[in-house]
Amino acid sequence: MASASSADPAGGAPRKGRGLLRGALLVLACLVALGGGLVASVGPSAVMALLPGSGDEAGEAHADEGSAPDADQAHAGSAAGGVGDDRIVVTPFQEIIVNITSTTATGRQTTRFLKLNLALAYDNTLPGAANIEERKLFMRDSIQDYLRQLNESDLQGSIGLVRLKAELLRRARAISDSDAPQEFLIADLIVQ
Protein backbone atom coordinates (compact mmCIF):
# COMPACT_ATOMS: atom_id res chain seq x y z
CA MET A 1 0.00 0.00 0.00
CA ALA A 2 2.87 2.29 0.73
CA SER A 3 4.17 1.75 -2.77
CA ALA A 4 0.77 2.65 -4.26
CA SER A 5 0.63 5.94 -2.34
CA SER A 6 4.19 6.84 -3.28
CA ALA A 7 3.36 6.28 -7.00
CA ASP A 8 0.28 8.47 -6.71
CA PRO A 9 2.17 11.77 -6.25
CA ALA A 10 4.58 10.88 -9.05
CA GLY A 11 1.71 9.91 -11.37
CA GLY A 12 -0.40 12.92 -10.29
CA ALA A 13 2.16 15.52 -11.38
CA PRO A 14 1.97 14.65 -15.08
CA ARG A 15 -1.84 14.47 -14.86
CA LYS A 16 -1.93 17.87 -13.20
CA GLY A 17 0.29 19.25 -15.99
CA ARG A 18 -2.01 17.77 -18.66
CA GLY A 19 -5.01 19.32 -16.96
CA LEU A 20 -3.36 22.74 -16.93
CA LEU A 21 -2.40 22.36 -20.59
CA ARG A 22 -5.96 21.39 -21.53
CA GLY A 23 -7.33 24.34 -19.57
CA ALA A 24 -4.90 26.74 -21.25
CA LEU A 25 -5.84 25.38 -24.69
CA LEU A 26 -9.53 25.75 -23.87
CA VAL A 27 -9.03 29.38 -22.78
CA LEU A 28 -7.00 30.06 -25.94
CA ALA A 29 -9.73 28.52 -28.13
CA CYS A 30 -12.35 30.67 -26.40
CA LEU A 31 -10.30 33.82 -26.97
CA VAL A 32 -9.85 32.99 -30.66
CA ALA A 33 -13.61 32.38 -31.00
CA LEU A 34 -14.34 35.66 -29.20
CA GLY A 35 -11.97 37.52 -31.51
CA GLY A 36 -13.53 35.93 -34.57
CA GLY A 37 -16.99 36.90 -33.38
CA LEU A 38 -15.85 40.47 -32.79
CA VAL A 39 -14.36 40.71 -36.27
CA ALA A 40 -17.50 39.22 -37.81
CA SER A 41 -19.83 41.58 -35.98
CA VAL A 42 -18.07 44.94 -36.35
CA GLY A 43 -15.79 44.32 -39.30
CA PRO A 44 -12.03 44.06 -39.65
CA SER A 45 -11.46 47.81 -40.06
CA ALA A 46 -13.22 48.63 -36.79
CA VAL A 47 -11.19 45.96 -34.96
CA MET A 48 -7.95 47.34 -36.43
CA ALA A 49 -8.91 50.81 -35.21
CA LEU A 50 -9.30 49.42 -31.68
CA LEU A 51 -5.83 47.86 -31.60
CA PRO A 52 -3.03 49.88 -30.00
CA GLY A 53 -0.60 51.43 -32.47
CA SER A 54 -3.20 51.80 -35.20
CA GLY A 55 -3.24 55.57 -34.69
CA ASP A 56 -6.03 58.02 -35.35
CA GLU A 57 -4.94 58.58 -38.96
CA ALA A 58 -5.40 54.91 -39.82
CA GLY A 59 -8.78 54.82 -38.09
CA GLU A 60 -9.92 57.90 -40.01
CA ALA A 61 -8.69 56.43 -43.29
CA HIS A 62 -10.63 53.24 -42.62
CA ALA A 63 -13.69 55.24 -41.62
CA ASP A 64 -13.50 57.24 -44.85
CA GLU A 65 -13.15 54.06 -46.88
CA GLY A 66 -16.10 52.53 -45.03
CA SER A 67 -18.37 55.53 -45.56
CA ALA A 68 -17.93 55.67 -49.33
CA PRO A 69 -19.49 52.24 -50.02
CA ASP A 70 -22.32 53.00 -47.60
CA ALA A 71 -23.17 56.15 -49.56
CA ASP A 72 -23.04 54.19 -52.82
CA GLN A 73 -25.25 51.48 -51.33
CA ALA A 74 -27.77 54.05 -50.17
CA HIS A 75 -27.88 55.54 -53.67
CA ALA A 76 -28.20 52.09 -55.22
CA GLY A 77 -31.00 51.27 -52.77
CA SER A 78 -32.98 54.33 -53.79
CA ALA A 79 -32.53 53.42 -57.45
CA ALA A 80 -33.78 49.90 -56.73
CA GLY A 81 -37.06 50.93 -55.13
CA GLY A 82 -36.05 52.63 -51.92
CA VAL A 83 -37.58 55.72 -50.35
CA GLY A 84 -38.18 58.52 -52.82
CA ASP A 85 -38.17 56.29 -55.90
CA ASP A 86 -40.69 57.45 -58.49
CA ARG A 87 -40.98 54.03 -60.13
CA ILE A 88 -42.77 52.38 -57.20
CA VAL A 89 -46.43 53.28 -56.73
CA VAL A 90 -48.40 52.18 -53.67
CA THR A 91 -52.13 51.78 -54.09
CA PRO A 92 -54.26 50.91 -51.05
CA PHE A 93 -57.22 48.54 -51.09
CA GLN A 94 -60.43 49.02 -49.16
CA GLU A 95 -60.66 47.12 -45.89
CA ILE A 96 -61.51 43.45 -46.42
CA ILE A 97 -63.55 41.49 -43.87
CA VAL A 98 -64.26 37.80 -44.45
CA ASN A 99 -65.21 34.69 -42.47
CA ILE A 100 -62.56 32.01 -42.02
CA THR A 101 -62.81 28.65 -40.29
CA SER A 102 -61.19 27.78 -37.02
CA THR A 103 -60.89 24.59 -35.01
CA THR A 104 -61.37 24.73 -31.26
CA ALA A 105 -59.36 22.71 -28.75
CA THR A 106 -62.16 20.12 -28.70
CA GLY A 107 -62.04 19.75 -32.50
CA ARG A 108 -65.23 21.67 -33.24
CA GLN A 109 -65.30 23.86 -36.38
CA THR A 110 -66.18 27.51 -35.79
CA THR A 111 -66.04 30.67 -37.85
CA ARG A 112 -63.92 33.72 -37.17
CA PHE A 113 -63.70 37.15 -38.75
CA LEU A 114 -60.56 38.16 -40.63
CA LYS A 115 -60.01 41.88 -41.09
CA LEU A 116 -57.30 42.87 -43.57
CA ASN A 117 -56.01 46.28 -44.61
CA LEU A 118 -53.43 46.09 -47.36
CA ALA A 119 -51.81 48.00 -50.18
CA LEU A 120 -50.12 46.90 -53.39
CA ALA A 121 -46.70 48.27 -54.35
CA TYR A 122 -46.03 48.07 -58.07
CA ASP A 123 -43.42 49.27 -60.55
CA ASN A 124 -45.07 51.70 -62.97
CA THR A 125 -42.25 51.39 -65.54
CA LEU A 126 -42.92 47.70 -66.27
CA PRO A 127 -45.29 46.66 -69.06
CA GLY A 128 -48.84 46.14 -67.86
CA ALA A 129 -48.59 48.58 -64.93
CA ALA A 130 -51.36 50.70 -66.44
CA ASN A 131 -53.73 47.74 -66.06
CA ILE A 132 -53.34 47.57 -62.29
CA GLU A 133 -55.66 50.45 -61.37
CA GLU A 134 -58.24 49.23 -63.91
CA ARG A 135 -58.17 45.67 -62.55
CA LYS A 136 -57.99 46.56 -58.87
CA LEU A 137 -61.61 45.50 -58.25
CA PHE A 138 -60.90 42.10 -59.82
CA MET A 139 -57.85 41.73 -57.58
CA ARG A 140 -59.96 42.51 -54.52
CA ASP A 141 -62.48 39.85 -55.56
CA SER A 142 -59.73 37.27 -56.05
CA ILE A 143 -58.21 38.17 -52.67
CA GLN A 144 -61.58 37.70 -50.95
CA ASP A 145 -62.08 34.33 -52.63
CA TYR A 146 -58.67 33.18 -51.43
CA LEU A 147 -59.12 34.48 -47.87
CA ARG A 148 -62.44 32.66 -47.46
CA GLN A 149 -60.68 29.35 -48.10
CA LEU A 150 -58.18 29.85 -45.27
CA ASN A 151 -58.19 28.35 -41.82
CA GLU A 152 -57.03 30.29 -38.80
CA SER A 153 -53.98 28.03 -38.58
CA ASP A 154 -52.93 29.09 -42.11
CA LEU A 155 -52.27 32.60 -40.82
CA GLN A 156 -50.30 31.76 -37.68
CA GLY A 157 -46.68 32.79 -37.33
CA SER A 158 -44.38 34.61 -39.68
CA ILE A 159 -44.48 31.77 -42.20
CA GLY A 160 -48.25 32.21 -42.46
CA LEU A 161 -47.77 35.89 -43.28
CA VAL A 162 -45.12 35.09 -45.89
CA ARG A 163 -47.39 32.52 -47.55
CA LEU A 164 -50.30 34.95 -47.54
CA LYS A 165 -48.24 37.70 -49.19
CA ALA A 166 -46.82 35.30 -51.78
CA GLU A 167 -50.28 34.03 -52.75
CA LEU A 168 -51.72 37.54 -52.95
CA LEU A 169 -48.80 38.65 -55.14
CA ARG A 170 -49.23 35.64 -57.40
CA ARG A 171 -52.90 36.47 -57.87
CA ALA A 172 -52.20 40.17 -58.49
CA ARG A 173 -49.65 39.32 -61.19
CA ALA A 174 -52.05 36.87 -62.84
CA ILE A 175 -54.94 39.36 -62.87
CA SER A 176 -52.85 42.32 -64.06
CA ASP A 177 -51.11 40.05 -66.59
CA SER A 178 -47.72 41.62 -65.76
CA ASP A 179 -44.79 41.47 -63.38
CA ALA A 180 -45.43 45.06 -62.26
CA PRO A 181 -46.86 44.07 -58.83
CA GLN A 182 -43.84 43.90 -56.53
CA GLU A 183 -45.18 43.42 -53.00
CA PHE A 184 -48.24 43.52 -50.80
CA LEU A 185 -47.96 45.70 -47.71
CA ILE A 186 -50.19 44.62 -44.83
CA ALA A 187 -51.25 47.38 -42.46
CA ASP A 188 -53.70 45.34 -40.36
CA LEU A 189 -54.38 41.63 -40.09
CA ILE A 190 -56.82 40.86 -37.30
CA VAL A 191 -58.49 37.51 -36.61
CA GLN A 192 -61.42 37.78 -34.20
Side-chain angles (χ1 to χ4, degrees):
M1 278 203 191
S3 64
S5 63
S6 64
D8 218 11
R15 287 184 186 165
K16 196 181 262 188
R18 283 188 217 150
L20 288 175
L21 180 62
R22 286 182 184 166
L25 288 175
L26 182 63
V27 168
L28 181 64
C30 289
L31 289 175
V32 168
L34 180 66
L38 180 66
V39 170
S41 65
V42 298
S45 60
V47 172
M48 293 303 291
L50 292 174
L51 293 176
S54 63
D56 290 338
E57 300 85 24
E60 290 173 7
H62 289 296
D64 290 340
E65 290 172 4
S67 64
D70 291 341
D72 291 341
Q73 288 173 356
H75 179 64
S78 66
V83 177
D85 190 6
D86 294 334
R87 296 180 317 149
I88 302 298
V89 177
V90 177
T91 180
F93 283 82
Q94 290 180 351
E95 181 177 84
I96 298 172
I97 300 174
V98 295
N99 288 331
I100 61 172
T101 59
S102 174
T103 306
T104 64
T106 60
R108 189 172 53 101
Q109 294 281 331
T110 62
T111 59
R112 299 249 182 161
F113 288 109
L114 169 68
K115 176 182 167 185
L116 184 66
N117 282 324
L118 64 132
L120 174 64
Y122 66 93
D123 188 346
N124 65 357
T125 61
L126 292 176
N131 297 337
I132 291 179
E133 290 296 330
E134 295 172 2
R135 297 183 180 179
K136 194 172 169 184
L137 190 57
F138 295 102
M139 284 185 216
R140 180 180 164 83
D141 182 58
S142 178
I143 290 169
Q144 285 182 341
D145 288 343
Y146 171 68
L147 293 175
R148 286 190 174 110
Q149 298 171 17
L150 295 178
N151 292 324
E152 182 183 16
S153 62
D154 294 332
L155 299 170
Q156 290 180 345
S158 58
I159 192 72
L161 189 61
V162 169
R163 286 181 187 150
L164 174 67
K165 284 183 169 188
E167 181 62 28
L168 296 181
L169 185 61
R170 186 188 69 76
R171 288 171 180 266
R173 286 182 174 170
I175 291 170
S176 68
D177 196 29
S178 75
D179 288 333
Q182 298 296 307
E183 183 178 6
F184 270 97
L185 307 171
I186 297 179
D188 293 320
L189 182 119
I190 300 170
V191 177
Q192 229 175 358

